[in-house]
Amino acid sequence: MQSALESFHEAYASGLAQPVAAFLSPIAPINASNRLYDFARASSDDKIEGDVRYALKYNKTTRMTNKECGAWVDIIVCYWRAVKEIIKADKAADQSRTGDRQYLAIYDAWKDLTSSFIKHISGGLLPAWAIFTLYFTANHLRKIAIKTDEQLAKSKPAVLNTGYSDDIASTTPQNQKLEEAARVFNRIFALCLGDRNQDMSESRKWGVYCIANLQFKTYFKLKAISLSKNVVRSIEAQPDLPSFELYPRAHRVTYRYYTGVLAFLQEDYAKAEQSLQGAWESCWSRSQQNKSLILTYLIPCRLITQHKVPTAGLLAEAPRLQRIFGPLVACIKRGDLTGFDKALADGEPEFVRRRIFLTLERSRDIALRNLLRKVYLAGGFDDLKEGQTEKDRIRKSRIPLAHFVAALRMGISGAGSGQALEDEEVECLLANQIYKGLMKGYISREHAMVVLNKKGAFPGTGV
Amino acid sequence: MQPPAYNAVKPRTTLQPAPVSLHTQLSNPSHAHTPLQSDAAPASSSKPKKVEWPPAVREYVRRAFEPANAIPGISQLEMQAKLKATISFYAERNAHDEVHWPTHPLPQELLMEERRKAALASPTNGFDEHTNTTPQSKKRKSQDAEELQGQQTQANVPPWRSTNLVSRMTYVEGHTGKRHKKNALMDAASKFDPVELDKRRQRFQLGNNGTNATSPDEDEMPAGPVVGTNQNLEKSYFRLTAPPKPETVRPLHILEDTLVMLLEKWKAERNYNYICNQFKSVRQDLTVQHIKNAFTVKVYEHHARISLEKGDLGEYNQCQTQLKALYAQNLRGKPAEFKAYRILYFVYTCNKTDMNDMLAELTLADKSHEWIKHALEVRSSLAVGNYHKFFRLYLGAQNMGAYLMDMFIERERLSALANMSRGYANVTLRFLTDELGFDNDEICREFLESHGAQNIIEDKGDNQYRVRLREAASQFESLRAAAFSKVDIKGQI
């Protein structure tokens, strides 16, 4: 055990969260694939506590107080038990007889480890950096919980309702363990947010955002996105957090990303754009995956708030973005409604999965605007009146409805295709454009004309 | 005899009374085969008396070790531990004389019993509810007889009272009473007060342990379905607080007749309160009998349709939730119809998150289904503001879809008016009637007037009217905003 804990002493001496977290990992490092196995073998159930205590107490390099030593003993013993379960599950997997039991055992052991961490941190026994070690431990708990739920879902048939419910189908949650884990994360979050330590250098408040991010991830996975709002709300209600800019960049980018997505889903596009823009700007330039995630929401956001399409250069940076947004953007630019509808339908599964379908759908307005603008431009100019020069020629502002109808019918296949467009429907779409301020003017039914403003008929497009 | 004052108290992890003094020996295998002598060790040396066990106890121990009495699945070691626990349990209370040892269950039998009960108890609770019967329940039991009597004498009580409430209450009491007798051995646990709360909680959570009260042996049957014996077609709904009695539950073939009867009554009488109540009791009977088949789906579908017709969204939602789960198990029925309703419902609630989830669930086959396609078109026409198409779709709604669309038709009319009032200076009334899906000009006019727009309708004579929309633009806009701000989602899940 002495030698097995050697790496813990080294990690501890560094005074950093990450090396300690690396020691307390459920996955063996690549360069020492036997580490977990050796660690499990270094002791036995009844000796483990004494072994660890002895090893920690009589170590010259670490020198912790008795109380802190006790806390670490507790944590390492929990970790040892978890490792033992992992080894057991590995062995079972070798004989291909992994079942619920192994997964549950690992999950329970890891949850004990997390709880023990929480207990000792809230008892104030561990150094300040330990909150981040706890973060890594909790993140592992999240992953283990997800795996366990997957396993349980595979093996367990649908459950019947027991108890006195009036209805037959049970509403038992599908993600029991992850929900349980979410409650653990909630405790950690409270532990961070509610730290009363005045000394900011030792405060657990520094852990607030990274734990919040962990919660977001969990809630999104659980499809309980609305719970994330509580997290945001309690952070915003906390007056004495350190300035946001002082937090590590990784925490900030992820937090902004999630708050951006949250606002996006609540259709608060202005706020979403602000948060996502913030995330985009601080995101590490080489982190392609994160950048493309941010853009997945920022691009639809901008379509709504500023009617702006992404440049070809930006899309070209990420093949994924090019694939999902490319066709749509091209159709918007061309004012090709039929193409737009097709691109939207083709991309629907992906869009729905990313929860951007309903937002992207709204950008059809811009495609339509571009088409109507083309009609307006094609209408040409009024004849020059006396005294007018070529320079102040005015475009024809009275356009027959039939022109717009023709334009809209262009993409539609002929009779019998099941597609039809009534004149009134075109009127309706025009009225919409006017209502939304994309086009200025009015419709005159008596004359079957659309009268556009002489200046700025299509605001923001230069005509 | 005074119990030793220095016994270390270990934290309780089970509700079994665990005599602490034995823990130390159990971990020592050398004592395992001489349980009687070793028992003297933990007791303080000042009590030599304890070594002399009564012959009855000695005989009991001998029986326990007899190979013929061994039960497969229970190891020798476990049996010994239980044996020690049992004997010392009574020894500590000095109650060896009160036990009739020759008939007392052997330790292996006790273990079997415990395991069986543990299997019955909910895995989430981990507690064995049978081990903690309380003095209170003993008291209540005495009222039991009185209540039964009262029930018999009150011959003219209303039927709902005698069939449901009273019988349910008496049933609970009798049930606990029997349990109490049976588990007199475990009675010690009832001293712990906090346990009482747990017990009560459990009683309300998982009462299916004893579904049949007719014979005392059956009151520990596993949580299985009730088999109903009630032959009445009608039954009023009451929320269950205890396991149902078979005589109050109708079996499947009766329920099938009930459904036919209810549908006829609904056609003839249109008494929604009655129908809803009856349907709820049918659903309840299906649930307690674990009937989950095409008929179950049919019941929920009919109830959902009727509640839609009456605009009872709360009840509709309950049915819809159940139907979703039932369809997932391929029990036939009309999934497409109800998927279409779900889409329309989300249009009504403006719930983008749920709508997105709904879209994610739809398969290609779903999307090409006529009814679902209609609902999807309703959704997209509103999303892109195509009110013209929307009102066409409204007029072409199928099944109960029109009832659902009625929920938001006024809101969308106001929205369309707000929209048009920016795009047109004035239009004919006929145009509005057509565009907004009204049956005739008169109704359209009434709609405008009831929304404070009487002043903008201009009579041109010869039944021709013009509506000066532009003038009421801001008013329509505020009406639109108000209509969207309050979406009443009863029983939303």
Side-chain angles (χ1 to χ4, degrees):
Chain A
M1 193 34 88
Q2 281 283 18
S3 60
L5 285 182
E6 203 50 55
S7 52
F8 171 75
H9 294 306
E10 278 170 29
Y12 183 88
S14 73
L16 293 172
Q18 208 154 0
V20 181
F23 171 79
L24 294 171
S25 163
I27 305 154
I30 306 157
N31 53 7
S33 52
N34 274 337
R35 196 184 77 84
L36 290 188
Y37 189 71
D38 294 342
F39 184 65
R41 292 239 307 192
S43 187
S44 61
D45 265 324
D46 42 351
K47 291 209 204 100
I48 175 68
E49 194 164 342
D51 281 357
V52 176
R53 187 176 301 281
Y54 181 84
L56 286 194
K57 214 166 185 177
Y58 296 101
N59 188 282
K60 293 280 185 296
T61 52
T62 46
R63 288 173 192 278
M64 37 180 104
T65 62
N66 261 345
K67 274 185 181 167
E68 189 185 341
C69 178
W72 284 113
V73 169
D74 226 22
I75 289 165
I76 294 174
V77 169
C78 283
Y79 173 62
W80 183 83
R81 295 215 171 98
V83 168
K84 206 182 68 176
E85 295 301 339
I86 293 170
I87 298 293
K88 264 194 209 164
D90 273 356
K91 280 184 186 158
D94 285 345
Q95 299 162 23
S96 54
R97 49 174 185 82
T98 340
D100 296 357
R101 209 162 45 80
Q102 278 85 10
Y103 280 92
L104 284 172
I106 296 179
Y107 171 79
D108 285 336
W110 204 266
K111 194 177 156 214
D112 284 346
L113 169 63
T114 318
S115 300
S116 152
F117 237 122
I118 297 175
K119 188 177 87 192
H120 294 302
I121 288 182
S122 68
L125 299 178
L126 299 181
W129 50 259
I131 191 74
F132 294 106
T133 314
L134 172 58
Y135 161 75
F136 288 107
T137 311
N139 199 19
H140 287 308
L141 180 68
R142 183 176 67 90
K143 293 176 185 165
I144 293 170
I146 291 174
K147 275 191 190 155
T148 309
D149 284 335
E150 280 168 4
Q151 171 68 23
L152 289 179
K154 254 190 277 168
S155 63
K156 218 191 270 168
V159 259
L160 264 175
N161 230 350
T162 47
Y164 304 140
S165 166
D166 291 332
D167 286 316
I168 193 98
S170 137
T171 43
T172 321
Q174 294 294 303
N175 298 303
Q176 211 187 339
K177 293 298 163 192
L178 192 58
E179 280 181 17
E180 211 176 292
R183 286 192 283 276
V184 175
F185 303 154
N186 219 341
R187 272 165 62 205
I188 304 176
F189 181 69
L191 188 68
C192 291
L193 198 66
D195 189 7
R196 298 253 178 88
N197 194 340
Q198 292 297 315
D199 182 359
M200 267 307 145
S201 65
E202 287 193 348
S203 175
R204 293 195 291 268
K205 288 209 161 77
W206 293 109
V208 161
Y209 288 106
C210 70
I211 301 295
N213 293 336
L214 186 64
Q215 287 183 291
F216 292 150
K217 276 180 207 166
T218 312
Y219 291 143
F220 272 71
K221 173 86 189 169
L222 284 173
K223 293 203 172 144
I225 297 175
S226 56
L227 290 177
S228 313
K229 286 181 220 157
N230 300 339
V231 178
V232 178
R233 218 173 290 139
S234 37
I235 285 181
E236 279 165 5
Q238 189 74 23
D240 55 350
L241 286 180
S243 156
F244 186 68
E245 297 309 319
L246 294 176
Y247 279 85
R249 185 189 276 214
H251 300 189
R252 278 185 290 147
V253 172
T254 316
Y255 184 76
R256 281 227 167 100
Y257 166 73
Y258 274 109
T259 46
V261 174
L262 279 174
F264 182 91
L265 294 177
Q266 288 169 63
E267 300 180 83
D268 185 349
Y269 294 112
K271 197 175 156 205
E273 188 186 352
Q274 195 194 346
S275 295
L276 290 169
Q277 189 70 39
W280 169 255
E281 275 155 16
S282 10
C283 188
W284 190 41
S285 61
R286 284 168 64 190
S287 177
Q288 282 304 338
Q289 167 70 11
N290 288 351
K291 273 168 50 182
S292 105
L293 275 176
I294 295 170
L295 286 178
T296 306
Y297 295 94
L298 189 54
I299 289 173
C301 217
R302 284 252 182 141
L303 276 170
I304 300 295
T305 53
Q306 310 183 9
H307 305 142
K308 271 191 182 158
V309 292
T311 63
L314 185 67
L315 286 182
E317 265 183 53
R320 195 181 67 86
L321 294 176
Q322 176 62 43
R323 184 170 52 78
I324 65 173
F325 290 124
L328 212 57
V329 166
C331 292
I332 293 176
K333 278 191 186 162
R334 278 205 308 272
D336 175 0
L337 288 181
T338 320
F340 179 90
D341 291 342
K342 188 177 174 304
L344 193 68
D346 289 347
E348 189 182 319
E350 169 90 15
F351 296 147
V352 165
R353 207 165 56 78
R354 304 258 168 209
R355 297 179 179 279
I356 52 177
F357 177 79
L358 299 173
T359 307
L360 285 175
E361 190 181 34
R362 290 173 55 181
S363 61
R364 192 177 193 270
D365 281 339
I366 306 160
L368 177 62
R369 194 264 321 265
N370 291 349
L371 178 64
L372 300 180
R373 182 172 171 272
K374 277 186 179 177
V375 174
Y376 172 66
L377 294 182
F381 296 87
D382 280 334
D383 292 336
L384 278 179
K385 287 181 194 153
E386 268 193 47
Q388 275 186 325
T389 56
E390 199 66 20
K391 218 175 77 192
D392 22 63
R393 285 182 80 147
I394 301 173
R395 289 186 182 279
K396 283 186 180 153
S397 60
R398 291 165 66 86
I399 298 160
L401 255 174
H403 290 189
F404 287 117
V405 175
L408 277 158
R409 283 203 182 127
M410 276 196 306
I412 286 180
S413 17
S417 66
Q419 288 178 300
L421 192 67
E422 296 166 42
D423 290 358
E424 283 87 0
E425 195 168 340
V426 177
E427 269 185 57
C428 159
L429 291 173
L430 289 173
N432 245 295
Q433 293 276 307
I434 299 171
Y435 178 64
K436 287 175 182 158
L438 290 165
M439 187 170 94
K440 300 278 185 195
Y442 68 94
I443 307 166
S444 164
R445 294 210 82 227
E446 293 141 307
H447 303 103
M449 282 281 185
V450 179
V451 183
L452 294 176
N453 280 12
K454 293 220 189 284
K455 272 194 179 146
F458 293 91
T461 63
V463 286
Chain B
M1 191 206 298
Q2 288 272 316
Y6 49 81
N7 267 358
V9 176
K10 283 235 174 167
R12 281 169 55 82
T13 52
T14 67
L15 292 179
Q16 286 294 327
V20 179
S21 57
L22 283 170
H23 272 271
T24 43
Q25 313 155 35
L26 291 181
S27 60
N28 191 342
S30 68
H31 288 285
H33 286 284
T34 54
L36 292 188
Q37 285 95 329
S38 64
D39 255 354
S44 84
S45 51
S46 65
K47 298 175 214 157
K49 184 180 146 202
K50 245 197 152 178
V51 192
E52 293 160 24
W53 299 97
V57 179
R58 283 171 175 279
E59 174 59 21
Y60 178 70
V61 173
R62 194 194 56 75
R63 275 202 302 133
F65 276 94
E66 224 164 70
N69 287 337
I71 294 177
I74 292 176
S75 73
Q76 190 82 340
L77 227 63
E78 286 170 305
M79 187 278 288
Q80 282 171 19
K82 185 69 191 171
L83 179 63
K84 278 183 203 173
T86 312
I87 296 178
S88 55
F89 175 77
Y90 292 106
E92 277 178 12
R93 286 155 186 77
N94 217 3
H96 271 154
D97 301 340
E98 290 161 32
V99 181
H100 190 246
W101 289 107
T103 56
H104 194 78
L106 291 176
Q108 48 268 54
E109 288 164 6
L110 288 172
L111 280 171
M112 276 297 277
E113 181 78 348
E114 273 171 30
R115 285 182 194 178
R116 209 162 56 82
K117 279 180 204 153
L120 287 180
S122 151
T124 50
N125 276 297
F127 287 110
D128 184 353
E129 74 165 321
H130 294 275
T131 55
N132 33 55
T133 321
T134 60
Q136 279 96 319
S137 62
K138 224 190 278 178
K139 253 188 240 158
R140 278 206 245 139
K141 195 201 155 206
S142 61
Q143 297 165 0
D144 189 6
E146 288 164 28
E147 273 177 22
L148 268 172
Q149 263 178 0
Q151 193 191 348
Q152 280 155 2
T153 50
Q154 280 181 310
N156 55 351
V157 287
W160 54 267
R161 211 192 156 126
S162 56
T163 51
N164 261 297
L165 272 183
V166 179
S167 56
R168 255 189 356 237
M169 281 158 68
T170 50
Y171 172 61
V172 180
E173 319 295 358
H175 183 60
T176 36
K178 264 171 231 121
R179 212 159 58 198
H180 179 80
K181 246 183 274 163
K182 223 179 165 193
N183 299 295
L185 180 82
M186 312 297 186
D187 211 2
S190 65
K191 284 176 200 127
F192 302 97
D193 239 14
V195 167
E196 164 68 3
L197 289 174
D198 257 349
K199 191 202 132 201
R200 199 195 310 205
R201 184 172 51 79
Q202 281 172 34
R203 206 171 55 222
F204 281 94
Q205 270 180 1
L206 37 105
N208 280 9
N209 284 349
T211 45
N212 197 333
T214 46
S215 101
D217 287 326
E218 271 175 305
D219 68 355
E220 271 157 12
M221 287 278 283
V226 182
V227 179
T229 58
N230 192 326
Q231 302 294 313
N232 294 336
L233 285 183
E234 293 179 67
K235 175 183 153 186
S236 293
Y237 166 76
F238 280 98
R239 202 186 160 83
L240 283 180
T241 52
K245 271 180 153 182
E247 51 267 37
T248 63
V249 175
R250 292 161 293 181
L252 182 59
H253 67 276
I254 298 289
L255 290 172
E256 281 168 352
D257 293 345
T258 304
L259 181 64
V260 175
M261 185 271 294
L262 288 179
L263 292 177
E264 272 167 17
K265 268 206 168 173
W266 172 239
K267 257 189 210 160
E269 297 172 14
R270 302 260 142 188
N271 180 351
Y272 180 67
N273 282 345
Y274 166 80
I275 285 290
C276 180
N277 186 292
Q278 289 294 318
F279 262 104
K280 282 170 88 99
S281 76
V282 172
R283 279 159 52 185
Q284 190 181 63
D285 284 358
L286 287 170
T287 304
V288 297
Q289 299 181 88
H290 292 199
I291 298 172
K292 214 176 189 184
N293 53 25
F295 177 71
T296 318
V297 176
K298 216 163 141 191
V299 169
Y300 279 102
E301 284 179 347
H302 278 297
H303 194 185
R305 290 193 196 110
I306 291 174
S307 42
L308 268 185
E309 193 174 335
K310 299 304 286 184
D312 182 354
L313 283 184
E315 211 57 53
Y316 160 74
N317 262 327
Q318 284 182 26
C319 294
Q320 179 68 281
T321 317
Q322 295 296 313
L323 281 171
K324 193 177 173 230
L326 291 168
Y327 290 142
Q329 296 175 40
N330 285 327
L331 295 172
R332 297 203 291 282
K334 294 218 162 78
E337 180 186 342
F338 282 84
K339 273 182 189 168
Y341 295 162
R342 268 162 64 78
I343 297 170
L344 292 177
Y345 180 76
F346 291 139
V347 171
Y348 167 60
T349 58
C350 303
N351 190 331
K352 295 267 159 145
T353 316
D354 286 351
M355 179 65 89
N356 191 80
D357 290 340
M358 180 76 215
L359 291 178
E361 278 171 29
L362 293 177
T363 62
L364 274 178
D366 283 342
K367 284 181 202 165
S368 55
H369 189 283
E370 185 194 350
W371 299 334
I372 297 180
K373 217 167 147 186
H374 175 268
L376 285 174
E377 281 179 358
V378 168
R379 186 203 67 74
S380 68
S381 66
L382 286 182
V384 298
N386 193 339
Y387 53 80
H388 175 82
K389 193 172 170 194
F390 169 76
F391 289 105
R392 287 285 165 281
L393 290 165
Y394 169 64
L395 297 177
Q398 299 212 21
N399 299 322
M400 312 302 277
Y403 288 106
L404 264 169
M405 290 180 77
D406 275 340
M407 310 257 187
F408 52 91
I409 198 77
E410 177 174 337
R411 179 180 86 188
E412 295 307 331
R413 279 179 175 143
L414 288 172
S415 171
L417 275 175
N419 207 318
M420 292 164 100
S421 61
R422 301 276 176 199
Y424 299 94
N426 59 65
V427 293
T428 60
L429 184 64
R430 172 55 54 83
F431 178 65
L432 280 185
T433 308
D434 289 345
E435 283 297 278
L436 301 182
F438 287 107
D439 287 341
N440 55 49
D441 288 357
E442 202 44 48
I443 301 178
C444 178
R445 206 192 149 128
E446 273 169 26
F447 178 82
L448 289 173
E449 283 172 356
S450 68
H451 288 91
Q454 56 273 49
N455 296 331
I456 59 166
I457 304 172
E458 210 176 302
D459 193 344
K460 294 274 184 188
D462 198 20
N463 257 348
Q464 295 292 311
Y465 296 93
R466 287 200 78 81
V467 184
R468 297 193 306 271
L469 280 176
R470 178 77 47 87
E471 289 174 26
S474 56
Q475 185 186 341
F476 287 137
E477 184 55 46
S478 57
L479 282 171
R480 189 197 84 98
F484 273 94
S485 69
K486 47 163 198 256
V487 176
D488 189 5
I489 38 173
K490 297 159 201 128
Q492 166 83 326
I493 18 81

